Amino acid sequence: LLIEDDTETALYVTEGLQQLGHIVVWASTGPDGYFQASHNDHAVIIADRMLPGMDGLTLVKNLRRAGVLTPVLFLTTMDDLNARVEGLEGGGDDYLTKPFAMAELVARVNALTRRSQHLATMAQTRLVVADLELDLLSRTVSRAGKLIELQAQEFRLLEFLMQNSGKIVTRTMLLEHVWDLDFDPGTTVLESHMSRLRAKVDRGFDCELIQTMRGYGYVIRPN
Amino acid sequence: MSYGRIRLFQTETFRLAAIYVGLFLGSMLFLLALIYFIVSNAFESDLLRNSRDDLAAIRKAYVLGTPKNKSLHEAKEMIDDRLLASDAADLFLLQKDGVRVAGNLPTMAAQAGMIRMDYPLPSGARAGSSGRLLGAGELLAPGIYAFVGRDLYATRHAEDRMVLAFAAILLLTLILSIAGGLVLSRSFVRRIDSITATCRSIMAGRLNDRIPVRGARNELDQLGSTINDMLDRINSLMEGVRQVSNDIAHDLGTPLTHLRNRLERARRDPHGGTDAIEAAIADCDELIAMFAALLRIAQIESGARRAGMQTIDLADVLRSVVTLYIPALDDAGHPVTADIAPGLRMLGDPQLLFRLFANLLDNASRHTPRGTPISVIASHAGTQARVTVADSGEGIPAEDRELVFRRFYRRERSRTTPGSGLGLALAEAIADLHGAHVALEDNKPGLRVVLTFPLTEAAALPRAAE
C-alpha cells in the first residue's frame, strides 16, 4: 500500500515496485490511506509524512492503536529534522528521505516484507548462510566449523547482512542500522569495514558469500 | 530628508525636563515653606521667651517687694523704668482689679499663659489703628495681673521679606530650568535627528552610511556606535548571504553542466548510454547531497536542533567516530593515534557531534598525502573539553584559515580532490550550536583543528566513582 499525495513520486514508486512483481495499491490522501490500511491486508505500507487530511505520523499512530501491525516505511523530505526519531517512535519501521533511488526503496521494502514474514521466527539465536554460522548468544562466528574472530563493528555488520540474507542491503541501510548514522560519511569508510569483514569471512574459501552490488550495496547469499 | 524636525516642545527630552523642573520646584517650595515655618517659629519663641523673662522679673519685684504693701509699687516702678528705656516694641500692663496701674496697654481680661492678640496702637505710632502682639500674662496675686508682650510688626516684616526672597529664588530657578531644558532638548533632539537621518538614509539604500560618533562616552554615543556595530554585523551577514548565493550559482552550475553534458552524450550514444546515465545519476546524487548539506547548515544555524540536545559523553562520540574511520584511514595509509580522556560530559546532539568529527577526519585524510599520521586528542581543560584533530600534512596558510569555513570555499590545490567545500562550514555550524570554539592552528607541520567545548558543571570534575 502506497500512501502518497505527489503523483510524480507515486508513479515512480508504483512502476518500480510493479516491475519487481509487487502489487501496489495507491491512496493519495491520509483518510483514504487509513481506510485501505485498516480494511485490507498489505505486506508493507509506504507512507509519506505529509499527507492531505491526516499526516503520515498520525495515520500510523492511529493504525497501531487500532491493532494494525503491517510494517510501515516512512517517506520524508530533507528538511524534516526529527523525521527519523519521530517516525520510528510513532510506530514506523523504517524511513527513507526523498529523493531516493529505486534500489534503495526496493531493498528496504524487501527487508520489511521479510521481517513481516518471519515475525514469528525473529527470536532465532543462530543465523546461517551456507556454511557460515553466526551465534547471537555467544556472539561467535564460524565458517565450515572454523571459528572467525570479528571485532564488534564487524560482528554487527555481518549480523545485519545475515538477517537480510539473499536481499540487497544498501549502504545507507548499513550506516543506519550498524552505526546509527543519518548521513553518508564518504565512500571509503564503509568499504574499508566491508573489505576487512570479507577478508575474515571469505578469504581462503572457494565461494565468496558477501557480494558487492556496485552502486547499491551488498548482499550475502550462498552461490 | 522627508522627515520633519520635531517641534521642540513636543520632544521627549522637553517633557522629561518639564517633569524634572516641576518636581524640583515642588520640592524647593516644600523646603522653603519648611524654612519659613521654622524661622518664624524661632522668632516668635524668642519673643515669647523675652516676654516671659520680663514677666518673671516683674513677678520677682512684686513678690520680693518690701514692705508688703509696697509690692505693687515695686512692680509698677520696674515697668515704668522699662517703658522709659525700652523701644516701642515692648508692651507692658499691670492692673489691679481691672484698673491699669502701669504699662502701655489697655486693661484686659486677666488671662494667664501665652496670649496672641490685636491691640490698639498708641496714637502717633505706625499707620493703622491696631497692631498684633504676642506675650504672656500672669496673676501675681488675686486681682493683680501682669502682662508682658512684644509687638509682632518687626517679625512680620522680616517674614515678609523672607517670603519675597523665596519667591525670587523660585522664579529664578524656574527660568533657569526652562532655559536649561530647552538647551538640553535641542542638543538631544539634534543628536536623535542625526541618528534618524542616518537610519533613513540607510533605508534609502546608502548602506555604508554610519551614525556620527563624537567620541564622548555618553549614552548617545554608545547608542550610535552600537547601531553602527549592528549595521556592520548586518552588512557582513548580508555579504555572507550574497556570497553564498553567488557560490551556489557558481558551484552548483558546474555539476549541472556536467550532468547536462552526460545526458546529451547518453542521448547520442547508439547503445543506450548506460554508463553515461549511471554517471549522470551519480552527479545528481552529489547535487542532492550538496543541497542536503546546505539545508542542514541552515537548520543548525537557525538553532532548530537545540531542542534535541541531551547530556552525553563526548568521549563516547569521539571513540565511535574513530572506530568507524580507522579502517578507512588505515586503507588510505594514515596511521591514527587516539588519546581520548573519559568522562567528557556535555549537552549535545550526538548525531551532529559525530558528523562534526567525521568531517574533520574526512578532511584530514582527503587533504593530506598518503602516509600522513592523524591524531585525535581529547582532554579536560578546566570546565571545558579540548579536542584536537591534527595531521602533519601541508597545513593551511594563516591567511586562508578564516576562509575555509566559508560555504563552498575550496583552496586552489584542493579543487582537484572530490568534495563540496561544505564540510568545514557544516563542522563550524555544529560547533557553534554547541557553544564550542573552533581554532585552526599550525601543527608544524600540518593542520591542527582545536575545539573547546563547554562541559556540564558536574562533569567539570573527573568522575570519582569510575
Side-chain angles (χ1 to χ4, degrees), chain B residues 354-378:
Chain B
F354 194 105
R355 185 145 194 193
L356 162 60
F357 293 109
N359 278 356
L360 292 180
L361 283 179
D362 193 44
N363 256 359
S365 83
R366 271 196 287 118
H367 298 299
T368 55
R370 215 184 148 75
T372 311
I374 295 172
S375 72
V376 178
I377 298 161

Side-chain angles (χ1 to χ4, degrees), chain B residues 65-254:
Chain B
T66 46
K68 274 291 170 210
N69 55 357
K70 294 265 290 217
S71 291
L72 190 62
H73 183 72
E74 286 290 328
K76 175 187 180 317
E77 281 207 328
M78 182 168 187
I79 290 170
D80 289 343
D81 286 352
R82 284 294 305 275
L83 282 175
L84 281 174
S86 77
D87 59 65
D90 292 353
L91 301 164
F92 295 94
L93 173 69
L94 184 64
Q95 61 184 27
K96 185 182 180 189
D97 300 330
V99 180
R100 183 165 75 177
V101 179
N104 51 1
L105 282 173
T107 57
M108 55 169 126
Q111 189 188 346
M114 192 196 92
I115 294 164
R116 184 194 298 271
M117 65 176 188
D118 292 326
Y119 73 100
L121 284 172
S123 54
R126 309 186 302 267
S129 58
S130 77
R132 196 158 175 78
L133 65 75
L134 178 68
E138 190 180 340
L139 275 173
L140 299 178
I144 299 185
Y145 178 69
F147 176 86
V148 181
R150 294 288 188 274
D151 187 86
L152 285 175
Y153 176 76
T155 315
R156 279 287 147 79
H157 190 63
E159 284 172 4
D160 287 350
R161 300 231 325 241
M162 192 160 73
V163 168
L164 264 178
F166 284 177
I169 290 173
L170 280 177
L171 194 69
L172 195 69
T173 313
L174 184 67
I175 292 169
L176 280 177
S177 316
I178 291 176
L182 283 176
V183 170
L184 258 174
S185 317
R186 255 183 61 165
S187 82
F188 194 79
V189 164
R190 224 176 272 152
R191 298 293 304 277
I192 294 284
D193 273 354
S194 90
I195 293 176
T196 312
T198 312
C199 291
R200 296 256 161 193
S201 138
I202 290 167
M203 277 161 64
R206 287 182 291 278
L207 298 181
N208 289 321
D209 276 13
R210 289 293 177 271
I211 291 158
V213 174
R214 284 184 194 166
R217 292 227 182 107
N218 62 25
E219 63 279 4
L220 274 179
D221 265 353
Q222 272 178 18
L223 175 67
S225 62
T226 306
I227 293 179
N228 285 347
D229 289 350
M230 182 183 80
L231 289 170
D232 289 344
R233 174 93 180 113
I234 291 173
N235 244 16
S236 82
L237 286 176
M238 274 172 51
E239 197 50 51
V241 171
R242 209 184 343 249
Q243 180 73 36
V244 168
S245 32
N246 283 349
D247 289 345
I248 290 176
H250 182 262
D251 285 81
L252 296 185
T254 317

Side-chain angles (χ1 to χ4, degrees), chain A residues 5-119:
Chain A
D5 60 327
D6 177 35
T7 316
E8 193 75 26
T9 313
L11 285 177
Y12 174 67
V13 172
T14 310
E15 279 173 16
L17 290 176
Q18 276 171 349
Q19 273 174 16
L20 292 164
H22 293 286
I23 300 156
V24 182
V25 179
W26 173 33
S28 62
T29 67
D32 192 12
Y34 182 79
F35 181 83
Q36 290 283 351
S38 50
H39 285 78
N40 295 310
D41 250 356
H42 302 274
V44 176
I45 296 170
I46 303 169
D48 192 17
R49 276 294 299 274
M50 309 258 264
L51 286 169
M54 184 196 295
D55 74 271
L57 196 60
T58 319
L59 188 148
V60 172
K61 277 182 185 164
N62 290 345
L63 279 180
R64 293 293 183 250
R65 216 170 294 141
V68 178
L69 296 172
T70 319
V72 172
L73 170 66
F74 274 121
L75 299 181
T76 63
T77 50
M78 276 196 284
D79 56 345
D80 198 349
L81 279 176
N82 304 313
R84 190 170 166 207
V85 179
E86 278 178 11
L88 299 186
E89 279 175 359
D93 298 273
D94 202 356
Y95 90 109
L96 190 54
T97 309
K98 285 195 245 182
F100 49 84
M102 185 48 70
E104 188 73 44
L105 179 74
V106 170
R108 281 163 193 270
V109 167
N110 283 341
L112 287 179
T113 48
R114 190 187 149 81
R115 200 182 296 175
S116 69
Q117 279 161 20
H118 292 270
L119 216 57

Side-chain angles (χ1 to χ4, degrees), chain A residues 79 81 180 182 185 192-193 196, chain B residues 299 324-325 328 330-331 351:
Chain A
D79 56 345
L81 279 176
D180 195 31
D182 63 352
S192 299
H193 279 284
R196 273 163 181 66
Chain B
Q299 281 162 352
L324 174 67
Y325 271 85
D330 206 26
D331 285 353
Q351 291 272 351

